[in-house]
Amino acid sequence: MFLYMLIFMAYKSSRWMPLNKRLKFQIVNAVFVVVVLTPQIYIMGRPKSSRYCRQPLLNNLSASVALSIIASGLSVVFTLLDPVPQGLWAAYHVFGLFSCGHGLCTTVLTLTAAACANTTTELYYLSVALTVASAISTGFFMVRSGLWLTNRQAVMWDK
């Protein structure tokens, strides 16, 4: 859910700026994409990351890189379009399901890969960081969904 949250934050942040001033925001967006992708690609390319580990953390990291690239594209498109078409919103929410599934897989793989901390240290700790980020973003969306449902119920009771 971490990448889903990044797109959401980019979209909400870009709406504070007028449409003709969003180029500066695109530069910030590009820097943020580099900050997210660089450690993943660096660790994936390290020879130590290909050592034996019982859990497929390297495969999970490659899926994370692919989802990060898709998320960067969606964040750029979401910040440039005003209004965002319904089909793109649907694609964003489907991406959110994939991101949620990836977060769950990352969590399960990380929790069962404690022995990999000795053989593939950087890969394991990046997996831990992705698990924590996924948990925090899932909590964020759970609170946000709860507030949305509460607000929706209040509106329904007012009618």
Side-chain angles (χ1 to χ4, degrees), residues 49-58 113 115-117 119-120 123-124:
S49 296
S50 63
R51 288 186 185 166
Y52 177 73
C53 178
R54 286 181 48 177
Q55 298 299 332
L57 294 179
L58 190 59
C116 296
T119 57
T120 56
L123 184 60
Y124 175 75

Side-chain angles (χ1 to χ4, degrees), residues 17-98:
M17 297 177 209
L19 191 58
N20 60 351
K21 303 260 186 199
R22 290 192 189 156
L23 179 61
K24 294 175 189 174
F25 187 78
Q26 290 303 323
I27 295 169
V28 172
N29 197 10
V31 168
F32 203 63
V33 166
V34 168
V35 167
V36 169
L37 272 173
T38 301
Q40 294 181 47
I41 293 173
Y42 173 74
I43 289 175
M44 193 166 64
R46 296 210 10 111
K48 191 175 180 182
S49 296
S50 63
R51 288 186 185 166
Y52 177 73
C53 178
R54 286 181 48 177
Q55 298 299 332
L57 294 179
L58 190 59
N59 295 342
N60 189 50
L61 182 60
S62 63
S64 179
V65 168
L67 288 174
S68 297
I69 291 169
I70 293 168
S72 65
L74 281 172
S75 66
V76 168
V77 170
F78 266 63
T79 56
L80 289 177
L81 293 180
D82 196 23
V84 178
Q86 285 297 108
L88 196 55
W89 278 112
Y92 166 68
H93 293 303
V94 169
F95 175 80
L97 291 174
F98 283 123

